[in-house]
Amino acid sequence: MNFTYPKNEKLKSKITIGLLFTEGKSVSKYPLRLVYKAGSFDESEKIKMGVSVSKKNFKKAVDRNYFKRVLRETYRLNKHLLIDNLDQPYAFMFFYQTKDRLTYAEINTKTIQLFEKFLAQNNKKTLSENDSDLENK
């Protein structure tokens, strides 16, 4: 397994970020939220990931940066859950949405649960699409 978070995996395109907010779907596991959109991107990466912490919840940049570091780290260590089960490229935006200061272990657990919830939701869609394709034949 490759536990890295290389530069080409970081979501930086303003166009893609805009598409995430206008056309993307989301899945939540309190206090985390994952907004995603399937599609092909410029590069050969399966995932583009960005993180965000609200200024409304944490006024000090130090606090926001801490939680962004934690989100990136939990993603880095658990991204194999996503990569092993995705069949097409995705863009993700990962949010921390509470004023509560959870520990790293709690955030890591919630991240795993969130990724599993996303995969379960995503697999249901692909299964229903496959079923409708079979019915049309």
Side-chain angles (χ1 to χ4, degrees):
M1 282 185 283
N2 186 7
F3 292 109
T4 61
Y5 185 39
K7 188 174 184 178
N8 59 355
E9 213 171 272
K10 294 177 181 162
L11 179 62
K12 295 185 178 197
S13 166
K14 288 185 179 184
I15 295 169
T16 307
I17 292 170
L19 283 173
L20 274 173
F21 287 110
T22 57
E23 301 173 12
K25 297 176 179 69
S26 77
V27 61
S28 295
K29 187 70 178 172
Y30 179 82
L32 304 176
R33 189 171 123 210
L34 190 68
V35 177
Y36 62 93
K37 178 160 177 28
S40 59
F41 308 107
D42 299 342
E43 301 175 32
S44 61
E45 291 298 317
K46 267 191 159 180
I47 292 179
K48 290 282 192 182
M49 175 68 82
V51 297
S52 178
V53 178
S54 174
K55 195 175 195 176
K56 186 173 89 176
N57 293 336
F58 296 101
K59 303 291 185 213
K60 295 181 180 176
V62 172
D63 297 330
R64 289 193 304 277
N65 290 339
Y66 168 76
F67 283 103
K68 286 193 286 187
R69 273 196 314 274
V70 170
L71 289 177
R72 281 192 293 266
E73 182 67 4
T74 57
Y75 161 71
R76 184 183 72 82
L77 294 175
N78 297 303
K79 73 178 181 177
H80 62 88
L81 297 171
L82 295 174
I83 291 175
D84 295 343
N85 296 300
L86 293 179
D87 54 351
Q88 60 181 331
Y90 276 87
F92 293 105
M93 198 70 178
F94 198 14
F95 296 97
Y96 188 81
Q97 294 190 302
T98 184
K99 290 183 179 181
D100 300 337
R101 295 171 179 268
L102 299 179
T103 65
Y104 170 81
E106 292 170 323
I107 295 172
N108 193 40
T109 304
K110 296 289 185 179
T111 301
I112 293 169
Q113 293 171 352
L114 179 69
F115 288 172
E116 289 170 349
K117 187 174 178 181
F118 163 75
L119 290 170
Q121 184 175 322
N122 196 35
N123 287 339
K124 284 180 190 174
K125 287 180 186 173
T126 55
L127 289 175
S128 64
E129 289 171 1
N130 290 341
D131 291 342
S132 65
D133 289 345
L134 291 175
E135 291 172 4
N136 293 337
K137 289 184 180 180

